[in-house]
């Protein structure tokens, strides 16, 4: 949008660029309204123990119930939410909403004890004030903050890593647990395993899927699992879609996993998984 376009030195508009700009402007207006009108919902996906298959928790995944476009995937509006700063309000809403959900579960004895994992934007962790606000929210709403896991993509620490790390420690002080998301997709720096307080490392789904054809990747995962023993983190394999993949990740030494083969993300009230998410804006 306007800001990112400003970076281009040679700009001229053709019809398709004009249309894209207009579409984005209108999506931005919609997104502002969505925050006010509470058009967001969360779908929850099970995270399971791979041996024994007990559910240990859920990942809360954001969806936007757009008034005309239907249910929208986070990938179709996250960038816009980050550019406009709306991400802060949205993620504060996620935290409050998850706190409510945990309280509801606790009224039903069979689900007691499970945690919920949320995703936090790299733009959010970069900003000290919002992080302090978020920490307050967590203190207010969670009796057991250790049942909230906050996931970050390693990209979140690529720029201004010092500030992000400082803010990460502010969050950590509330008692929440931290996870490194999508490991194996980007730089996958060993630095994050060593110097950051992550309790969980989540292996990215394409990395996980590569295990069947790429022995070296599988060996890498196996070494990570061994490393986790001494460093004190646990591995969660993402995107498990078949029995064969499940067996591969177990053989690599992953303790936990999630994926369509185990359970699809879905609304709490619904029995139907979300096959119907709209991936384009
Ligand atoms: P993620 O955190 O890595 O979440 C996993 C994504 O993989 C989810 O996509 C989930 O629906 C999908 N998934 C789970 N199991 C499988 C499987 O077996 N096969 C395949 N093909 N996909 C599977 P979703 O819900 O579209 O979310 C996409 C990304 O959006 C998330 O990736 C996360 O980075 C981001 N996201 C979601 N909610 C939030 C949020 O509240 N805040 C922020 N900042 N980001 C969020
Ligand atoms: Mg995640
Ligand atoms: Mg992930
Ligand atoms: Mg992802």
């Amino acid at each position: 949008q306007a800001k990112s376009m400003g970076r281009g030195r040679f700009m001229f508009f053709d019809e398709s660029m004009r249309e894209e700009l207009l579409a984005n402007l209108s999506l931005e207006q919609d997104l502002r309204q969505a925050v006010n009108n509470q058009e967001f919902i969360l779908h929850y996906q099970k995270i399971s123990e791979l041996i024994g298959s007990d559910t240990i928790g859920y990942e809360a995944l954001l969806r936007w119930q757009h008034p005309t476009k239907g249910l929208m995937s986070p990938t179709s509006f996250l960038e816009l939410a980050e550019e406009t700063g709306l991400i802060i309000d949205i993620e504060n809403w996620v935290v409050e909403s998850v706190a409510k959900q945990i309280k509801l579960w606790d009224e039903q004895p069979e689900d007691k004890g499970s945690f919920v994992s949320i995703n936090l934007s790299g733009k959010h962790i970069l900003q000290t004030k919002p992080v302090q606000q978020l920490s307050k929210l967590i203190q207010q709403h969670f009796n057991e903050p250790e049942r909230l896991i906050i996931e970050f993509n390693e990209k979140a620490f690529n720029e201004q890593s010092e500030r992000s790390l400082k803010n990460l420690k502010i969050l950590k002080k509330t008692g929440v647990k931290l996870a490194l998301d999508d490991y194996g997709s980007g730089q996958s720096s060993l630095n994050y395993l060593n110097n950051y307080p992550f309790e969980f490392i989540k292996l990215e789904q394409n990395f996980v899927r590569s295990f069947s054809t790429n022995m070296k990747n599988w060996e890498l995962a196996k070494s990570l699992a061994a490393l986790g023993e001494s460093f004190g983190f646990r591995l969660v394999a993402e995107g498990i879609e078949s029995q064969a993949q499940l067996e591969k990740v177990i053989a690599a030494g992953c303790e936990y996993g999630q994926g369509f083969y185990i359970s699809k993300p879905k609304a709490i009230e619904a029995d139907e998984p979300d096959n119907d998410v709209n991936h384009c804006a």
Side-chain angles (χ1 to χ4, degrees):
Q1 220 164 295
K3 208 168 114 205
S4 58
M5 300 192 87
R7 273 184 226 131
R9 259 159 211 254
F10 303 97
M11 286 302 301
F12 58 91
F13 286 93
D14 64 21
E15 191 53 29
S16 75
M17 287 166 77
R18 201 180 81 90
E19 272 165 25
E20 200 190 311
L21 180 71
L22 288 177
N24 252 327
L25 280 175
S26 110
L27 195 68
E28 178 174 337
Q29 276 173 351
D30 291 355
L31 196 60
R32 284 184 198 285
Q33 270 175 13
V35 173
N36 291 328
N37 300 349
Q38 309 213 308
E39 289 168 0
F40 298 104
I41 57 164
L42 292 173
H43 279 187
Y44 288 80
Q45 185 180 32
K46 263 185 198 173
I47 304 175
S48 304
E49 230 164 62
L50 293 179
I51 298 174
S53 75
D54 282 351
T55 302
I56 57 159
Y58 297 85
E59 178 170 4
L61 296 157
L62 187 64
R63 273 97 183 87
W64 175 9
Q65 189 65 68
H66 189 284
T68 56
K69 290 177 172 145
L71 197 60
M72 286 172 69
S73 144
T75 50
S76 63
F77 62 86
L78 272 176
E79 210 180 289
L80 188 60
E82 289 177 340
E83 284 173 14
T84 52
L86 291 166
I87 191 72
I88 308 290
D89 287 335
I90 295 173
E91 289 177 343
N92 287 345
W93 172 83
V94 169
V95 165
E96 289 186 46
S97 166
V98 161
K100 279 187 201 143
Q101 188 54 57
I102 289 182
K103 281 183 188 140
L104 285 175
W105 276 333
D106 283 351
E107 288 164 13
Q108 311 162 334
E110 67 274 20
D111 274 314
K112 255 200 164 71
S114 49
F115 65 72
V116 176
S117 207
I118 63 166
N119 296 277
L120 211 71
S121 158
K123 294 286 179 303
H124 200 155
I125 195 68
L126 206 54
Q127 298 173 252
T128 305
K129 266 250 167 66
V131 166
Q132 286 166 339
Q133 276 165 4
L134 187 69
S135 300
K136 271 210 193 103
L137 266 186
I138 293 168
Q139 285 163 339
Q140 269 170 24
H141 292 285
F142 285 83
N143 300 326
E144 301 166 286
E146 68 279 6
R147 288 170 65 191
L148 182 65
I149 299 182
I150 305 184
E151 301 184 7
F152 296 94
N153 191 290
E154 70 180 329
K155 280 186 240 132
F157 307 102
N158 285 353
E159 339 158 21
Q160 311 205 29
S161 59
E162 236 165 83
R163 174 135 45 106
S164 300
L165 184 58
K166 203 190 89 203
N167 290 340
L168 196 68
K169 286 175 177 162
I170 294 177
L171 271 183
K172 171 92 181 157
K173 268 206 195 119
T174 63
V176 300
K177 293 186 172 162
L178 303 175
L180 185 58
D181 204 357
D182 298 332
Y183 200 75
S185 61
Q187 302 276 316
S188 304
S189 163
L190 291 176
N191 176 41
Y192 296 117
L193 309 181
N194 205 0
N195 298 318
Y196 286 65
F198 293 115
E199 270 101 355
F200 295 95
I201 306 294
K202 301 187 76 173
L203 303 183
E204 197 264 338
Q205 50 192 51
N206 289 311
F207 182 59
V208 167
R209 274 176 224 140
S210 76
F211 295 168
S212 58
T213 50
N214 188 330
M215 203 53 187
K216 283 189 175 160
N217 280 355
W218 180 81
E219 290 284 353
L220 243 162
K222 210 173 143 188
S223 308
L224 274 175
L227 211 61
E229 304 245 322
S230 43
F231 282 55
F233 59 78
R234 268 111 181 257
L235 289 189
V236 183
E238 296 195 273
I240 300 170
E241 286 183 346
S242 67
Q243 178 65 28
Q245 284 166 5
L246 176 64
E247 284 166 16
K248 276 272 174 214
V249 292
I250 290 175
C254 289
E255 254 177 294
Y256 307 117
Q258 62 190 105
F260 293 171
Y261 184 67
I262 298 169
S263 184
K264 285 190 171 178
K266 53 192 171 202
I268 292 296
E269 322 77 56
D271 293 321
E272 286 301 301
D274 65 358
N275 298 319
D276 51 346
V277 182
N278 189 350
H279 283 274
C280 43

